[in-house]
Amino acid sequence: MHHPPKDSFFHRLSNLLWAVIVAATVTLAIYVSAGRLAMALVDDRQASILDALNARLPFTVAASGVSGSWASFSPQIVLNDLRITFPGEPHQPIELAEGRVTLDVWRMLLSGRLHSRDLILSNLHLRARLTDDGRLQVSGLEGAGRAGLEWLQAFLLNGEHIELSASRVELVLPDASQRSLRLDLDLRREGGRRQLDGQLYDEDGSRVRVLANGVGNPFRLETFTGELYLDASDI
C-alpha cells in the first residue's frame, strides 16, 4: 500500500484535521464539565439569580425555588411556583407551577445579554374577563403598561420556542357566567417564519384549535403573510 510522504500536503492536512478534532473534543468536554458545574451551583445562588432577572425585566418574578440542569449541551434554569407581578397590579400576580428556560450560550457570548432558546411554562393560571364590547381583560396584565406590553411583544417575536402546557383560564363572560378552560400553546420561530399550534377546551368537550404558519410580524398584520386554520367543535 502506498503511503504519502510525511512532508506531503495530504499528510500535513491529515495532521491538521486530527489536531482540530482533538481540540474540538477537549473544548466540548471542558464546556460540558464547566456547564454542569455551574448548574450545580444554581441552588446556592437562587436569590442572586432572581435579583439579576428582576433587574432586567419590566415586572417582578418571585419563585419558591430555582434550580439548574443540563440537557442537550445546553444549560437550563428551572423556576418553581412562579409569581409574576406587574407594577400596576401588585396584588394580582400571574401564577404558574414551573418555568423552564433553556439558555442560548452562543448568542449570549456574542451579545453579552441574556438569550433563551426554549421557554416552557407549565400550569399557568390566568383570570380573564370578556367585556360587552368584545375586549379581553387579563388580570395581572392590565397593570403592564406600555413598556411591559412592548417587552412582551418583543419577547414573543424573538423567542425561538415558547410552550404553554396544562394552563388554565378562568373566563368571566359578559353575562357574568364563568367558564373554566384549558389552554395548550406551542409557538416556534425559524428565522422570519412563525408557527403556532394552540388549543382551548373545557371539560364539557368544547374545543377550539388554531394552526397558523406565516412570515413577518403578526402584531402588524400589514407586514404578515401566512395561513390560519381554525377548527371548533361543540361550541
Side-chain angles (χ1 to χ4, degrees), residues 100-221:
R100 184 178 296 267
V101 184
T102 302
L103 302 177
D104 190 328
V105 177
W106 180 245
R107 289 179 64 192
M108 289 169 61
L109 291 174
L110 291 177
S111 66
R113 300 172 58 187
L114 182 66
H115 288 282
S116 65
R117 192 176 69 238
D118 296 291
L119 174 64
I120 300 176
L121 304 177
S122 302
N123 294 106
L124 175 66
H125 186 197
L126 295 175
R127 299 176 181 86
R129 176 182 294 274
L130 187 64
T131 64
D132 292 331
D133 57 359
R135 291 185 301 112
L136 184 66
Q137 298 176 338
V138 180
S139 179
L141 284 180
E142 293 297 305
R146 183 180 180 86
L149 292 177
E150 288 179 349
W151 186 94
L152 288 173
Q153 185 180 115
F155 182 81
L156 292 173
L157 290 174
N158 294 326
E160 293 185 14
H161 177 218
I162 301 173
E163 178 183 338
L164 301 181
S165 63
S167 299
R168 292 182 299 144
V169 180
E170 305 296 338
L171 180 64
V172 179
L173 300 175
D175 61 1
S177 63
Q178 298 186 22
R179 297 285 297 273
S180 180
L181 305 172
R182 296 292 182 267
L183 172 65
D184 292 324
L185 187 69
D186 190 279
L187 178 64
R188 297 177 184 269
R189 178 182 65 83
E190 294 183 7
R193 179 165 294 278
R194 306 176 190 280
Q195 295 178 321
L196 171 69
D197 185 351
Q199 289 191 82
L200 192 65
Y201 53 96
D202 64 14
E203 296 178 352
D204 296 329
S206 299
R207 181 182 299 269
V208 175
R209 185 175 187 186
V210 177
L211 296 174
N213 181 23
V215 177
N217 184 350
F219 295 103
R220 298 176 58 189
L221 294 180

Side-chain angles (χ1 to χ4, degrees), residues 52-97:
L53 281 175
N54 289 325
R56 292 167 173 79
L57 298 174
F59 48 82
T60 301
V61 175
S64 66
V66 182
S67 59
S69 63
W70 194 262
S72 301
F73 299 104
S74 297
Q76 290 185 339
I77 302 295
V78 182
L79 300 98
N80 298 109
D81 298 324
L82 274 166
R83 295 177 304 283
I84 299 173
T85 307
F86 285 92
E89 290 192 271
H91 304 296
Q92 295 289 337
I94 296 174
E95 300 174 339
L96 58 152

Side-chain angles (χ1 to χ4, degrees), residues 4-17:
K6 291 185 177 181
D7 59 348
S8 70
F9 170 76
F10 291 105
H11 191 275
R12 292 195 300 270
L13 180 61
S14 65
N15 287 339
L16 176 61
L17 291 175

